[in-house]
Amino acid sequence: LCWRWTFRLLGLSGFALFPFMFAILYKRTPRHQQQTNTPGESPSINEPPAEFAASITRDRVEDGNQMTIKATLRELIRCYPYIIITLAASVRFIGGYALGAWCATFYREHYGETPRSYGMKLFIVFMAGGLPGSILGGLIADRTVRYGSHWKAYIIAITQAIAAPLAVAIFFMPTANLSYIMLTVSFLFSESWMGVAASIVQDVHKPAVRCQASAVYIAIGTLVGCAGPVLVSAIISSQDKCDKNYKLAMLYIVPTTYMASALLFFATGLVRHCQRQRTATLEGGAEDRTDAPRSTSQPTRIQRRAARTNKDRQRLLSDSDDSDD
Protein backbone atom coordinates (compact mmCIF):
# COMPACT_ATOMS: atom_id res chain seq x y z
CA LEU A 1 0.00 0.00 0.00
CA CYS A 2 1.30 3.48 -0.86
CA TRP A 3 1.05 6.46 1.44
CA ARG A 4 -2.10 7.68 -0.31
CA TRP A 5 -4.02 4.77 1.17
CA THR A 6 -3.59 6.37 4.60
CA PHE A 7 -5.93 9.18 3.61
CA ARG A 8 -8.29 6.84 1.78
CA LEU A 9 -8.66 4.57 4.80
CA LEU A 10 -9.28 7.55 7.06
CA GLY A 11 -11.99 8.78 4.70
CA LEU A 12 -13.63 5.36 4.57
CA SER A 13 -13.63 5.16 8.36
CA GLY A 14 -15.62 8.40 8.43
CA PHE A 15 -18.27 6.91 6.15
CA ALA A 16 -18.36 3.78 8.32
CA LEU A 17 -18.94 5.81 11.49
CA PHE A 18 -21.68 7.99 9.97
CA PRO A 19 -24.59 5.52 10.59
CA PHE A 20 -23.58 5.14 14.25
CA MET A 21 -23.29 8.90 14.78
CA PHE A 22 -26.64 9.43 13.05
CA ALA A 23 -28.28 6.84 15.28
CA ILE A 24 -26.86 8.51 18.39
CA LEU A 25 -27.62 12.12 17.47
CA TYR A 26 -30.99 11.62 15.78
CA LYS A 27 -33.77 11.91 18.34
CA ARG A 28 -37.31 10.97 17.50
CA THR A 29 -40.24 12.23 19.51
CA PRO A 30 -41.63 9.33 21.57
CA ARG A 31 -45.09 8.19 20.55
CA HIS A 32 -46.53 8.82 24.00
CA GLN A 33 -45.39 12.47 23.79
CA GLN A 34 -47.06 13.14 20.45
CA GLN A 35 -50.30 15.01 21.16
CA THR A 36 -53.18 14.76 18.75
CA ASN A 37 -56.59 16.33 19.11
CA THR A 38 -59.72 14.55 17.98
CA PRO A 39 -62.51 16.54 16.26
CA GLY A 40 -64.43 18.58 18.79
CA GLU A 41 -61.76 18.14 21.48
CA SER A 42 -60.31 21.21 23.17
CA PRO A 43 -56.68 21.93 22.34
CA SER A 44 -53.98 20.93 24.82
CA ILE A 45 -53.01 23.48 27.41
CA ASN A 46 -49.38 23.20 26.15
CA GLU A 47 -50.36 24.23 22.62
CA PRO A 48 -51.48 27.83 21.94
CA PRO A 49 -54.74 28.40 20.09
CA ALA A 50 -54.60 29.30 16.43
CA GLU A 51 -55.47 32.93 17.22
CA PHE A 52 -52.15 33.36 19.01
CA ALA A 53 -49.92 31.45 16.55
CA ALA A 54 -49.03 34.50 14.47
CA SER A 55 -48.46 36.73 17.48
CA ILE A 56 -46.25 34.17 19.20
CA THR A 57 -44.20 33.75 16.04
CA ARG A 58 -43.73 37.50 15.77
CA ASP A 59 -42.69 37.67 19.41
CA ARG A 60 -40.10 34.97 18.92
CA VAL A 61 -38.62 36.76 15.93
CA GLU A 62 -38.50 40.03 17.85
CA ASP A 63 -36.91 38.34 20.87
CA GLY A 64 -34.11 36.93 18.71
CA ASN A 65 -35.07 33.25 18.68
CA GLN A 66 -35.32 33.36 14.90
CA MET A 67 -33.35 35.66 12.62
CA THR A 68 -33.05 36.14 8.90
CA ILE A 69 -29.73 35.82 7.07
CA LYS A 70 -29.52 39.58 6.58
CA ALA A 71 -30.17 40.24 10.25
CA THR A 72 -27.60 37.60 11.22
CA LEU A 73 -24.90 39.14 9.03
CA ARG A 74 -25.69 42.55 10.47
CA GLU A 75 -25.36 41.10 13.96
CA LEU A 76 -21.99 39.52 13.18
CA ILE A 77 -20.53 42.63 11.58
CA ARG A 78 -21.55 44.86 14.47
CA CYS A 79 -19.94 42.60 17.07
CA TYR A 80 -16.39 43.93 17.45
CA PRO A 81 -15.09 41.13 19.73
CA TYR A 82 -16.29 38.60 17.16
CA ILE A 83 -14.47 40.37 14.32
CA ILE A 84 -11.24 40.59 16.30
CA ILE A 85 -11.30 36.98 17.49
CA THR A 86 -12.04 35.76 13.96
CA LEU A 87 -8.99 37.69 12.74
CA ALA A 88 -6.92 36.31 15.63
CA ALA A 89 -7.97 32.74 14.88
CA SER A 90 -7.20 33.21 11.18
CA VAL A 91 -3.67 34.40 11.97
CA ARG A 92 -3.20 31.52 14.39
CA PHE A 93 -4.41 29.03 11.78
CA ILE A 94 -1.72 30.28 9.41
CA GLY A 95 1.02 29.29 11.84
CA GLY A 96 -0.60 26.00 12.76
CA TYR A 97 -1.16 24.93 9.17
CA ALA A 98 2.38 25.94 8.20
CA LEU A 99 3.88 23.91 11.04
CA GLY A 100 1.66 20.91 10.34
CA ALA A 101 2.42 20.86 6.63
CA TRP A 102 6.19 21.41 6.77
CA CYS A 103 7.15 19.89 10.11
CA ALA A 104 7.94 16.45 8.69
CA THR A 105 9.94 17.95 5.82
CA PHE A 106 11.96 20.02 8.28
CA TYR A 107 12.95 16.97 10.34
CA ARG A 108 13.83 15.03 7.22
CA GLU A 109 15.94 17.74 5.62
CA HIS A 110 17.51 19.32 8.71
CA TYR A 111 18.05 16.33 11.00
CA GLY A 112 18.07 13.51 8.46
CA GLU A 113 15.09 11.70 10.02
CA THR A 114 13.48 8.88 8.06
CA PRO A 115 9.69 8.77 7.46
CA ARG A 116 9.34 5.81 9.80
CA SER A 117 11.22 7.65 12.52
CA TYR A 118 9.61 11.10 12.39
CA GLY A 119 6.15 9.64 11.70
CA MET A 120 6.00 7.78 15.01
CA LYS A 121 7.72 10.55 16.97
CA LEU A 122 5.40 13.24 15.66
CA PHE A 123 2.42 11.07 16.56
CA ILE A 124 3.71 10.84 20.13
CA VAL A 125 4.37 14.58 20.20
CA PHE A 126 0.85 15.41 19.05
CA MET A 127 -0.70 13.08 21.61
CA ALA A 128 1.57 14.07 24.51
CA GLY A 129 1.50 17.82 23.80
CA GLY A 130 -1.53 18.78 21.77
CA LEU A 131 -4.18 16.72 23.55
CA PRO A 132 -3.27 17.70 27.14
CA GLY A 133 -2.79 21.28 25.99
CA SER A 134 -6.33 21.51 24.66
CA ILE A 135 -7.79 20.04 27.85
CA LEU A 136 -5.69 22.18 30.20
CA GLY A 137 -6.57 25.32 28.25
CA GLY A 138 -10.26 24.68 28.76
CA LEU A 139 -9.82 23.88 32.46
CA ILE A 140 -7.80 27.01 33.14
CA ALA A 141 -10.28 29.18 31.23
CA ASP A 142 -13.17 27.73 33.24
CA ARG A 143 -11.35 28.50 36.49
CA THR A 144 -10.53 32.10 35.58
CA VAL A 145 -13.92 32.98 34.05
CA ARG A 146 -15.20 33.89 37.52
CA TYR A 147 -13.16 37.08 37.16
CA GLY A 148 -15.04 37.86 33.93
CA SER A 149 -15.58 36.24 30.55
CA HIS A 150 -12.88 38.46 29.01
CA TRP A 151 -10.31 36.38 30.87
CA LYS A 152 -10.86 33.58 28.38
CA ALA A 153 -9.24 35.72 25.70
CA TYR A 154 -6.48 36.76 28.10
CA ILE A 155 -5.65 33.11 28.79
CA ILE A 156 -5.29 32.42 25.06
CA ALA A 157 -3.08 35.49 24.66
CA ILE A 158 -0.81 34.36 27.48
CA THR A 159 -0.45 30.80 26.17
CA GLN A 160 0.29 31.92 22.62
CA ALA A 161 2.86 34.45 23.85
CA ILE A 162 4.60 31.65 25.77
CA ALA A 163 4.43 29.32 22.77
CA ALA A 164 6.13 31.82 20.44
CA PRO A 165 9.68 31.61 21.92
CA LEU A 166 9.27 27.88 22.37
CA ALA A 167 8.47 27.61 18.68
CA VAL A 168 11.72 29.46 17.93
CA ALA A 169 13.67 27.00 20.07
CA ILE A 170 12.30 24.06 18.08
CA PHE A 171 14.44 24.98 15.07
CA PHE A 172 17.70 25.56 16.99
CA MET A 173 18.02 22.34 19.01
CA PRO A 174 21.28 20.46 18.33
CA THR A 175 19.59 17.06 18.01
CA ALA A 176 16.28 15.83 16.67
CA ASN A 177 15.20 14.33 20.00
CA LEU A 178 15.68 17.64 21.80
CA SER A 179 13.70 19.34 19.06
CA TYR A 180 10.86 16.84 19.53
CA ILE A 181 10.85 17.52 23.26
CA MET A 182 10.71 21.26 22.67
CA LEU A 183 7.91 20.74 20.14
CA THR A 184 5.94 18.81 22.77
CA VAL A 185 6.35 21.60 25.32
CA SER A 186 5.37 24.15 22.69
CA PHE A 187 2.22 22.21 21.87
CA LEU A 188 1.17 22.25 25.53
CA PHE A 189 0.72 26.01 25.20
CA SER A 190 0.05 26.62 21.52
CA GLU A 191 -2.79 24.09 21.15
CA SER A 192 -4.77 25.32 24.15
CA TRP A 193 -6.51 28.08 22.22
CA MET A 194 -9.01 26.35 19.95
CA GLY A 195 -11.69 25.23 22.40
CA VAL A 196 -11.50 28.42 24.46
CA ALA A 197 -11.78 30.60 21.36
CA ALA A 198 -14.84 28.66 20.22
CA SER A 199 -16.50 29.29 23.59
CA ILE A 200 -15.81 33.02 23.25
CA VAL A 201 -17.62 33.01 19.90
CA GLN A 202 -20.62 31.54 21.72
CA ASP A 203 -20.40 34.05 24.58
CA VAL A 204 -20.51 37.18 22.46
CA HIS A 205 -23.70 36.25 20.59
CA LYS A 206 -27.31 35.53 21.45
CA PRO A 207 -28.50 31.90 21.02
CA ALA A 208 -30.21 32.61 17.69
CA VAL A 209 -26.89 33.56 16.05
CA ARG A 210 -24.41 31.19 17.68
CA CYS A 211 -24.48 28.36 15.13
CA GLN A 212 -24.12 30.72 12.19
CA ALA A 213 -21.42 32.71 13.97
CA SER A 214 -19.44 29.53 14.61
CA ALA A 215 -19.82 28.45 10.99
CA VAL A 216 -18.53 31.77 9.65
CA TYR A 217 -15.74 31.81 12.22
CA ILE A 218 -14.50 28.34 11.26
CA ALA A 219 -14.87 28.95 7.52
CA ILE A 220 -12.87 32.18 7.56
CA GLY A 221 -10.22 30.77 9.88
CA THR A 222 -9.57 27.63 7.88
CA LEU A 223 -9.59 29.41 4.52
CA VAL A 224 -7.11 32.03 5.68
CA GLY A 225 -5.04 29.37 7.45
CA CYS A 226 -4.41 27.62 4.16
CA ALA A 227 -2.08 30.49 3.31
CA GLY A 228 0.42 29.20 5.89
CA PRO A 229 1.90 26.32 3.86
CA VAL A 230 1.83 28.49 0.73
CA LEU A 231 3.83 31.24 2.44
CA VAL A 232 6.47 28.77 3.63
CA SER A 233 6.70 27.33 0.13
CA ALA A 234 7.08 30.82 -1.35
CA ILE A 235 9.93 31.66 1.03
CA ILE A 236 11.71 28.39 0.25
CA SER A 237 11.29 28.94 -3.49
CA SER A 238 12.79 32.42 -3.24
CA GLN A 239 16.03 31.03 -1.81
CA ASP A 240 19.01 29.69 -3.68
CA LYS A 241 18.36 26.25 -5.17
CA CYS A 242 21.56 24.94 -3.57
CA ASP A 243 20.66 26.24 -0.12
CA LYS A 244 17.06 25.40 0.78
CA ASN A 245 16.74 26.67 4.35
CA TYR A 246 13.52 25.16 5.69
CA LYS A 247 14.34 26.34 9.19
CA LEU A 248 14.50 29.98 8.16
CA ALA A 249 11.26 29.77 6.19
CA MET A 250 9.32 28.32 9.13
CA LEU A 251 10.89 30.80 11.53
CA TYR A 252 9.42 33.62 9.51
CA ILE A 253 5.88 32.21 9.76
CA VAL A 254 5.26 30.09 12.87
CA PRO A 255 6.55 32.22 15.80
CA THR A 256 5.44 35.42 14.11
CA THR A 257 1.84 34.28 13.74
CA TYR A 258 1.83 32.95 17.31
CA MET A 259 2.82 36.35 18.70
CA ALA A 260 0.51 38.27 16.35
CA SER A 261 -2.45 36.11 17.36
CA ALA A 262 -1.55 36.63 21.03
CA LEU A 263 -1.86 40.39 20.55
CA LEU A 264 -5.19 40.01 18.75
CA PHE A 265 -6.57 37.67 21.43
CA PHE A 266 -5.53 40.20 24.06
CA ALA A 267 -7.34 42.91 22.10
CA THR A 268 -10.44 40.70 22.06
CA GLY A 269 -10.41 40.41 25.83
CA LEU A 270 -9.79 44.13 26.23
CA VAL A 271 -12.72 45.08 23.99
CA ARG A 272 -14.93 42.54 25.74
CA HIS A 273 -13.98 43.95 29.14
CA CYS A 274 -14.65 47.53 28.04
CA GLN A 275 -18.06 46.56 26.68
CA ARG A 276 -19.05 44.88 29.94
CA GLN A 277 -17.93 47.90 31.96
CA ARG A 278 -19.89 50.26 29.72
CA THR A 279 -23.00 48.08 30.00
CA ALA A 280 -22.71 47.97 33.79
CA THR A 281 -22.32 51.77 33.90
CA LEU A 282 -25.37 52.33 31.73
CA GLU A 283 -27.45 49.98 33.86
CA GLY A 284 -26.36 51.87 36.96
CA GLY A 285 -25.30 48.75 38.81
CA ALA A 286 -22.15 46.91 39.66
CA GLU A 287 -20.95 44.42 37.07
CA ASP A 288 -21.33 40.74 37.81
CA ARG A 289 -18.08 38.84 38.08
CA THR A 290 -19.43 36.08 35.86
CA ASP A 291 -21.70 35.82 32.85
CA ALA A 292 -24.45 34.08 34.84
CA PRO A 293 -27.90 35.67 34.58
CA ARG A 294 -28.64 38.13 37.35
CA SER A 295 -31.31 37.15 39.82
CA THR A 296 -34.03 39.76 40.09
CA SER A 297 -37.49 39.89 41.54
CA GLN A 298 -38.85 41.96 38.65
CA PRO A 299 -40.24 39.91 35.73
CA THR A 300 -38.60 40.40 32.35
CA ARG A 301 -40.38 41.61 29.21
CA ILE A 302 -40.55 38.06 27.84
CA GLN A 303 -41.99 36.75 31.10
CA ARG A 304 -44.67 39.46 31.14
CA ARG A 305 -45.63 38.68 27.53
CA ALA A 306 -45.83 34.94 28.32
CA ALA A 307 -48.06 35.66 31.33
CA ARG A 308 -50.43 37.77 29.23
CA THR A 309 -50.54 35.06 26.56
CA ASN A 310 -51.41 32.38 29.15
CA LYS A 311 -54.18 34.55 30.61
CA ASP A 312 -55.71 35.14 27.18
CA ARG A 313 -55.46 31.43 26.41
CA GLN A 314 -57.26 30.49 29.61
CA ARG A 315 -59.94 33.08 28.89
CA LEU A 316 -60.60 31.64 25.43
CA LEU A 317 -60.79 28.10 26.78
CA SER A 318 -63.25 29.17 29.47
CA ASP A 319 -65.41 31.02 26.91
CA SER A 320 -65.40 27.92 24.73
CA ASP A 321 -66.56 25.75 27.64
CA ASP A 322 -69.37 28.21 28.47
CA SER A 323 -70.60 28.22 24.88
CA ASP A 324 -70.66 24.42 24.83
CA ASP A 325 -72.80 24.40 27.98
Side-chain angles (χ1 to χ4, degrees):
L1 296 179
C2 66
W3 60 271
R4 295 181 180 86
W5 273 100
T6 303
F7 299 95
R8 294 170 183 169
L9 292 176
L10 289 175
L12 291 175
S13 64
F15 284 106
L17 290 175
F18 173 76
F20 299 99
M21 296 301 298
F22 182 80
I24 293 173
L25 298 177
Y26 180 71
K27 182 179 179 181
R28 294 186 59 184
T29 303
R31 186 178 299 274
H32 66 276
Q33 293 184 3
Q34 297 178 355
Q35 298 178 354
T36 58
N37 298 322
T38 58
E41 183 181 358
S42 299
S44 172
I45 193 64
N46 295 323
E47 296 180 357
E51 292 83 353
F52 294 94
S55 61
I56 291 175
T57 302
R58 287 195 302 270
D59 294 340
R60 289 178 176 177
V61 173
E62 293 175 358
D63 294 336
N65 293 329
Q66 299 174 4
M67 296 184 67
T68 62
I69 296 178
K70 183 178 179 181
T72 300
L73 293 177
R74 189 186 306 115
E75 180 79 14
L76 298 182
I77 295 173
R78 291 179 178 177
C79 184
Y80 295 115
Y82 176 75
I83 295 175
I84 300 175
I85 197 172
T86 302
L87 180 60
S90 301
V91 173
R92 178 57 183 81
F93 273 125
I94 292 176
Y97 281 22
L99 183 61
W102 288 95
C103 186
T105 304
F106 165 74
Y107 282 106
R108 186 188 68 220
E109 298 294 333
H110 190 75
Y111 292 107
E113 293 278 286
T114 62
R116 182 181 296 273
S117 176
Y118 66 68
M120 181 56 66
K121 291 178 181 178
L122 288 177
F123 169 76
I124 296 174
V125 167
F126 294 152
M127 294 299 294
L131 182 60
S134 299
I135 298 175
L136 289 176
L139 290 176
I140 295 174
D142 288 339
R143 295 297 184 275
T144 58
V145 75
R146 63 177 179 269
Y147 302 109
S149 61
H150 57 280
W151 267 96
K152 291 182 180 181
Y154 290 161
I155 291 298
I156 306 177
I158 293 172
T159 56
Q160 299 308 301
I162 296 174
L166 295 175
V168 174
I170 294 171
F171 306 105
F172 289 97
M173 292 292 103
T175 63
N177 289 334
L178 290 177
S179 180
Y180 286 126
I181 294 174
M182 191 57 63
L183 182 62
T184 304
V185 178
S186 176
F187 273 3
L188 285 173
F189 295 95
S190 64
E191 298 304 314
S192 63
W193 71 278
M194 191 171 297
V196 184
S199 69
I200 296 176
V201 173
Q202 300 291 302
D203 291 341
V204 299
H205 288 295
K206 60 182 69 174
V209 196
R210 288 174 181 173
C211 291
Q212 300 170 78
S214 297
V216 175
Y217 161 81
I218 295 173
I220 294 177
T222 52
L223 289 175
V224 176
C226 293
V230 178
L231 291 175
V232 175
S233 177
I235 296 174
I236 294 174
S237 301
S238 64
Q239 299 173 2
D240 187 3
K241 293 183 179 180
C242 298
D243 186 19
K244 296 292 185 181
N245 196 334
Y246 295 90
K247 177 175 71 175
L248 184 63
M250 297 184 70
L251 275 172
Y252 285 153
I253 303 300
V254 179
T256 304
T257 54
Y258 282 7
M259 186 57 67
S261 66
L263 296 176
L264 289 171
F265 281 122
F266 180 81
T268 302
L270 189 61
V271 172
R272 179 75 169 147
H273 181 54
C274 293
Q275 286 183 342
R276 286 172 56 83
Q277 283 188 329
R278 184 171 66 251
T279 302
T281 303
L282 293 175
E283 291 178 353
E287 180 184 7
D288 267 345
R289 305 195 59 94
T290 64
D291 283 338
R294 300 179 181 180
S295 59
T296 175
S297 59
Q298 297 295 330
T300 63
R301 179 172 59 90
I302 300 176
Q303 291 174 341
R304 291 194 298 268
R305 182 183 294 112
R308 289 196 301 268
T309 303
N310 289 331
K311 290 180 180 179
D312 294 337
R313 185 187 308 160
Q314 294 289 345
R315 179 176 56 80
L316 284 180
L317 292 177
S318 61
D319 293 343
S320 177
D321 292 340
D322 294 338
S323 61
D324 291 340
D325 295 337

